[in-house]
Amino acid sequence: MHSLSSKQLARKEKKKKKLAALASLVKSNDQDRIEEIMTERTIEPSQDNGAENDDGFTKVTHKKKQGKKKADSSNVDEPIVKKQKTSETLSDATDSEEMLKLNLTEDQYKLLKKELRERKRALESVPYLRLREAGEKALLIVDEAQRQPLFLTDIQHLVMAALLGRKSPCKPERWCFFDKPDSLSHTVVVCLDGLSLFHYLSNKGKFQKLDNIFESSLEVIMPQNVKEDGFVMAEELIQVPMTNVQAFEYVKTHGSLEAAIELNKDPTLIIKSIFPVENKEVVQDLHPNDKFPRTKLLLSALQMIEEGYPMPLRGELSKQYNSYMLTRKQYAPVTNRSPLFGVDCEMCHTSSGVNELTRISIVNENLETVYESMVRPDNKIIDYLTQFSGITAEMMRTVTKRLSEVQHEVRDILPDDAILVGQSLNCDLNAMRMMHPYCIDTSVCFNLSGVRKSKARLQKLAFEFLKETIQEHASGHDSTEDSISCLKLVKLKLANSLEFGDEVLIQKKRLQDIMLAASGEAVRNNMLAHASKRDRHTAIITSKPLPSIVQNLIEKAEQAFPDNAVKPVRVDEVNSNKEAVRKCREIALENALTICNLHFTPEDMLASTFEGTVENINKWVAKIWKSMAHKGLLVVLMGGAKECSTGMANIAIKRNVADVASDHHLTI
């Protein structure tokens, strides 16, 4: 065997020194991070119920941008732990200089290389969350005038991703970066029904345990809590496929999970908390001409935000829309028989630097024009944009009607449950400077490319599906013609199926059909890769009886695979919140998802009893956190109350001190 040349030996020694320097840097960073954790955070010993971490301690995240917190001196049973020892190899050198001076032997070099490689592999398996811009704007530390709340749908997407991993059709990427969800050990969602953001902010200093566990608190718009069953928030979360078998059944029935979620969602749930919608029960029978519920085509509150629809929200967006008018002072709940109205507007460019409304057309479901008007902009027209708008100087010569008049006339024409239909309808509503809760956008529910963000023009959609040629007049567009085309497209879709005209859903269904033909088990495993060998189960624990809609969902899950020895969804109805917490701690490790619903009555919120309520919440959440396993996700939601539909979300992933010391990313 040839001996190494001098150059090869030099390169070898250089590699050793680089590795030693890297190890020194890692050790220094780890030491600094551990010291920071020990001084800034309360570290609690884990219980002996299987939740103990590798180092025997759990990490409690700190408050970002809110200053350092002192340990709670009253918690005498929760001492600050001493520094943990690092590995023997790294402890051979007591500081950076000694490590750099160390001449590694070949065996030391190999061992150190192996340890760093294992350390990197361990870090790569640790899940974590990082807020994106939309999440940062929802933080309670943001001034109320600038804050933009999240929706419960955003939290639902997080739970879906935690349950189904990277194969989830719903991801929380709008507001956070969720890395390695497949590595989660389990997820626990604690729903505090009856508590709102008002209760938290007005008693902020009293929720000490929550503040110790969770780094960030986020404002969330919740569904209106008008029911007495105390299950509104958990009910919405449960609308996602809860288990493999239920998701598999959805795929068989609807072609894809995406289609199933669209058909099983209530897009108006959060809308009712934003717009003034009357609270009353409605009959949701199908329209005689429709094959599926027309309400399933409505944009959700989340979609309206993403598509730029004006909405009466608080915070930063309220400034943008403070001059807008609602299309009705009060709305009735939308139903599957609510009337459709096509809307299209034409605009001209004015001296204000933007396009302003100059013509509006509204057509009813029978394709009859119910409103048509020219509008004189408040500012001088400098470009009529005739090739697009069809508006000329001659047409505008005698027009005197102003936007404010049009707004009031539109209010008088539209019924209180009207569904507006249009192509990129957000542009028309912004031109009208009006806000409406029930909208169907043909640019969203039709798709030709298979890419959700790529939208086809109305002219192309009309030619493709209606076999009609529009927008080819030499004089420009015709707003009445465009309104009619949008209505025709929606009515055609309603006469077929949810996936009709939507290449995104069609491709998903086509893929599932191919996989199902090859092997039914392949569909199950491919769609839900996180549990290819065994089904991951869901547990629901509640101190109130389950509402019928939740019971129906559970029955569907059980019917999907009746031969299963273990039920896919476990339900525990207990007698008190205290018993619900005890049961949650007992069974959480056995399930992929555990939803613990705690119900608080108005009596619990009285001044004479509220201090005890807060004390219980602090104690119960802390106990659930202690009993959770390493890499477990805990979500605590305050679901709002009748007088305040705004709630909040707290989110944390349980991790080792070693994980935190080595991680360059903050955990929420």
Side-chain angles (χ1 to χ4, degrees):
M1 180 179 294
H2 297 288
S3 59
L4 294 176
S5 66
S6 57
K7 288 185 177 181
Q8 289 174 321
L9 287 172
R11 282 197 296 268
K12 189 81 171 178
E13 289 303 314
K14 191 175 182 180
K15 283 184 179 181
K16 290 181 181 179
K17 289 182 179 180
K18 282 184 176 180
L19 193 67
L22 175 61
S24 174
L25 181 61
V26 166
K27 179 190 175 182
S28 177
N29 287 341
D30 285 358
Q31 197 66 27
D32 290 344
R33 293 286 285 157
I34 291 174
E35 288 177 0
E36 177 186 350
I37 293 166
M38 299 309 162
T39 55
E40 291 187 9
R41 307 173 188 179
T42 302
I43 307 298
E44 302 176 343
S46 296
Q47 295 186 343
D48 297 328
N49 58 357
E52 184 169 312
N53 292 326
D54 294 342
D55 57 0
F57 295 91
T58 60
K59 165 197 162 261
V60 181
T61 54
H62 66 290
K63 283 280 182 182
K64 181 181 178 183
K65 301 178 183 178
Q66 294 189 33
K68 297 182 179 180
K69 278 191 163 292
K70 294 183 179 180
D72 186 357
S73 59
S74 63
N75 297 334
V76 294
D77 59 331
E78 298 171 0
I80 304 296
V81 298
K82 297 178 180 180
K83 300 178 184 179
Q84 304 298 302
K85 292 183 179 180
T86 55
S87 66
E88 291 182 5
T89 303
L90 294 183
S91 61
D92 287 343
T94 57
D95 54 35
S96 299
E97 291 184 4
E98 289 184 10
M99 180 64 81
L100 288 171
K101 294 176 182 178
L102 183 64
N103 291 320
L104 299 178
T105 66
E106 188 66 21
D107 289 341
Q108 287 176 324
Y109 170 71
K110 289 180 179 179
L111 180 59
L112 185 56
K113 189 174 181 180
K114 179 183 177 183
E115 286 194 356
L116 289 174
R117 185 165 57 246
E118 289 175 350
R119 182 181 185 278
K120 180 182 178 182
R121 189 180 299 115
L123 286 178
E124 288 176 346
S125 68
V126 177
Y128 69 89
L129 289 169
R130 184 179 71 239
L131 292 179
R132 297 184 188 272
E133 183 179 3
E136 294 280 357
K137 289 182 177 179
L139 287 168
L140 294 187
I141 59 174
V142 176
D143 184 79
E144 185 178 0
Q146 304 297 322
R147 196 185 309 146
Q148 293 184 23
L150 299 178
F151 301 111
L152 181 58
T153 311
D154 289 308
I155 308 303
Q156 184 194 48
H157 289 176
L158 175 69
V159 176
M160 174 75 104
L163 184 61
L164 302 184
R166 289 171 293 180
K167 294 296 182 181
S168 172
C170 296
K171 296 178 174 62
E173 54 192 23
R174 184 186 85 87
W175 63 278
C176 74
F177 178 74
F178 190 11
D179 192 35
K180 304 176 186 68
D182 296 293
S183 298
L184 288 172
S185 56
H186 63 138
T187 300
V188 176
V189 180
V190 180
C191 300
L192 306 177
D193 266 314
L195 270 77
S196 68
L197 180 63
F198 168 78
H199 293 122
Y200 177 78
L201 292 179
S202 58
N203 298 273
K204 196 172 186 311
K206 298 179 180 179
F207 290 92
Q208 295 176 349
K209 291 284 187 179
L210 268 67
D211 293 341
N212 285 340
I213 294 172
F214 300 102
E215 174 185 296
S216 305
S217 298
L218 302 144
E219 181 176 343
V220 182
I221 295 180
M222 298 290 184
Q224 283 186 323
N225 198 352
V226 297
K227 300 181 182 180
E228 295 298 329
D229 55 31
F231 212 85
V232 180
M233 177 172 42
E235 178 181 312
E236 172 64 5
L237 288 171
I238 292 171
Q239 299 302 310
V240 305
M242 294 183 292
T243 64
N244 283 359
V245 292
Q246 186 175 357
F248 183 47
E249 181 67 14
Y250 281 172
V251 169
K252 289 199 301 180
T253 303
H254 303 296
S256 69
L257 275 176
E258 287 80 356
I261 290 165
E262 291 298 312
L263 281 171
N264 284 281
K265 73 177 183 180
D266 177 3
T268 67
L269 193 66
I270 306 299
I271 289 289
K272 297 171 187 174
S273 298
I274 300 173
F275 287 85
V277 178
E278 185 181 359
N279 297 314
K280 65 179 182 181
E281 294 294 326
V282 295
V283 178
Q284 288 289 12
D285 56 329
L286 274 180
H287 189 282
N289 298 330
D290 299 347
K291 292 288 184 63
F292 65 94
R294 58 179 53 186
T295 53
K296 300 307 179 183
L297 293 180
L298 292 173
L299 295 175
S300 66
L302 186 57
Q303 287 176 306
M304 292 179 76
I305 287 291
E306 291 178 333
E307 297 293 333
Y309 277 74
M311 297 178 71
L313 291 170
R314 294 188 298 101
E316 187 177 351
L317 290 177
S318 65
K319 299 177 183 177
Q320 185 177 346
Y321 304 127
N322 59 4
S323 64
Y324 284 45
M325 179 184 291
L326 293 172
T327 53
R328 299 282 299 189
K329 290 183 179 179
Q330 181 82 22
Y331 297 94
V334 67
T335 73
N336 293 319
R337 289 180 176 265
S338 294
L340 304 175
F341 290 88
V343 178
D344 190 69
C345 297
E346 303 298 346
M347 285 80 79
C348 294
H349 198 65
T350 70
S351 58
S352 65
V354 298
N355 295 340
E356 293 188 54
L357 181 68
T358 48
R359 181 185 177 185
I360 176 174
S361 300
I362 301 179
V363 178
N364 67 16
E365 197 163 345
N366 296 322
L367 309 183
E368 301 165 338
T369 300
V370 296
Y371 186 73
E372 178 75 37
S373 180
M374 301 295 292
V375 188
R376 169 68 62 182
D378 293 334
N379 299 287
K380 182 181 179 180
I381 297 175
I382 58 177
D383 189 345
Y384 288 91
L385 304 174
T386 305
Q387 70 273 30
F388 304 112
S389 67
I391 305 297
T392 63
E394 182 63 28
M395 293 170 63
M396 296 297 299
R397 195 176 305 278
T398 59
V399 176
T400 59
K401 185 178 291 186
R402 295 291 184 174
L403 176 62
S404 59
E405 296 177 69
V406 170
Q407 290 173 330
H408 285 92
E409 290 172 353
V410 169
R411 266 192 168 188
D412 293 337
I413 289 171
L414 293 177
D416 54 8
D417 66 336
I419 298 175
L420 300 188
V421 177
Q423 173 80 1
S424 297
L425 185 59
N426 57 303
C427 298
D428 302 293
L429 288 171
N430 278 304
M432 296 161 61
R433 303 188 76 77
M434 300 190 82
M435 297 178 282
H436 190 78
Y438 312 132
C439 300
I440 297 177
D441 195 328
T442 50
S443 74
V444 174
C445 62
F446 282 86
N447 183 279
L448 298 177
S449 65
V451 179
R452 188 57 75 193
K453 293 184 179 180
S454 177
K455 299 181 178 181
R457 294 174 55 197
L458 180 61
Q459 182 184 48
K460 190 170 183 179
L461 292 176
F463 183 79
E464 179 75 21
F465 298 106
L466 305 176
K467 309 305 178 189
E468 295 179 358
T469 301
I470 64 171
Q471 299 180 347
E472 289 194 347
H473 308 290
S475 57
H477 293 187
D478 183 332
S479 54
T480 302
E481 179 185 60
D482 290 354
S483 297
I484 290 174
S485 295
C486 288
L487 276 173
K488 285 182 176 180
L489 284 167
V490 169
K491 293 177 72 175
L492 180 62
K493 188 180 184 77
L494 288 170
N496 285 274
S497 65
L498 183 68
E499 67 265 14
F500 177 85
D502 190 337
E503 190 60 29
V504 174
L505 292 183
I506 289 173
Q507 288 180 5
K508 295 286 186 181
K509 180 171 173 43
R510 190 180 299 127
L511 175 62
Q512 298 306 328
D513 288 343
I514 293 172
M515 293 168 62
L516 185 60
S519 168
E521 191 67 21
V523 178
R524 186 180 180 189
N525 295 344
N526 197 302
M527 283 298 297
L528 307 166
H530 74 294
S532 59
K533 294 183 179 179
R534 62 181 178 87
D535 187 47
R536 302 191 72 186
H537 297 87
T538 296
I540 301 173
I541 306 164
T542 175
S543 57
K544 296 284 286 185
L546 288 180
S548 58
I549 185 172
V550 177
Q551 292 175 357
N552 292 336
L553 281 169
I554 294 170
E555 289 174 6
K556 288 180 181 179
E558 293 174 351
Q559 292 167 4
F561 281 82
D563 296 332
N564 272 16
V566 180
K567 289 186 177 182
V569 182
R570 169 176 177 167
V571 177
D572 285 280
E573 293 184 6
V574 296
N575 297 322
S576 65
N577 288 336
K578 181 178 180 180
E579 181 65 16
V581 171
R582 189 197 65 77
K583 179 62 68 172
C584 177
R585 297 176 64 204
E586 177 185 317
I587 68 173
L589 299 182
E590 303 170 10
N591 300 280
L593 171 63
T594 302
I595 297 176
C596 182
N597 191 76
L598 306 181
H599 180 65
F600 297 90
T601 65
E603 289 72 24
D604 294 323
M605 302 295 112
L606 297 176
S608 58
T609 58
F610 190 69
E611 186 170 342
T613 300
V614 173
E615 184 179 345
N616 284 332
I617 291 171
N618 277 318
K619 178 173 60 177
W620 292 337
V621 172
K623 285 185 175 181
I624 291 174
W625 175 252
K626 282 184 183 180
S627 65
M628 290 182 64
H630 175 49
K631 300 182 184 178
L633 171 67
L634 176 62
V635 181
V636 175
L637 301 175
M638 291 187 183
K642 286 186 178 181
E643 64 277 6
C644 178
S645 62
T646 305
M648 61 178 287
N650 292 297
I651 305 162
I653 296 176
K654 194 164 187 178
R655 306 168 68 185
N656 286 339
V657 171
D659 291 337
V660 181
S662 308
D663 192 3
H664 294 286
H665 301 278
L666 289 174
T667 309
I668 296 175

